[in-house]
Amino acid sequence: GERRLKALVRPRHAAMWLVRKHTELSFPEMGRVFSRDHATVQHGVRKIETQVKRDADLENTIQAIERNLGI
């Protein structure tokens, strides 16, 4: 949805990052999927790219999600 609850932002950004990594969707297409502007999607993807390099727990969580999804 349109809400910006802090508890939902990081998971949403991680989902955007996963979609970007595992699909051929463009940022505008992803924006439509997430009901966000393409620039917001770009920001979310960049944010997770930066955080995953610094936060081993986040990296492990994302890897677990990928395993659970079979990707």
Side-chain angles (χ1 to χ4, degrees):
E2 296 292 327
R3 300 186 74 182
R4 294 186 213 171
L5 295 175
K6 189 173 185 175
L8 300 178
V9 171
R10 192 172 191 187
R12 183 184 300 124
H13 286 174
M16 291 173 179
W17 184 83
L18 286 166
V19 169
R20 182 67 177 172
K21 180 179 177 186
H22 295 287
T23 72
E24 297 292 322
L25 292 179
S26 67
F27 285 115
E29 290 169 328
M30 289 175 59
R32 286 189 287 279
V33 169
F34 286 97
S35 299
R36 297 287 186 272
D37 182 82
H38 78 279
T40 302
V41 175
Q42 288 174 320
H43 168 77
V45 170
R46 279 194 309 268
K47 186 114 177 156
I48 292 298
E49 285 174 350
T50 301
Q51 289 177 344
V52 81
K53 292 175 185 173
R54 292 188 224 161
D55 185 343
D57 289 335
L58 177 60
E59 182 179 14
N60 291 335
T61 299
I62 289 176
Q63 288 173 351
I65 291 168
E66 288 176 315
R67 281 192 303 275
N68 287 334
L69 293 173
I71 53 177

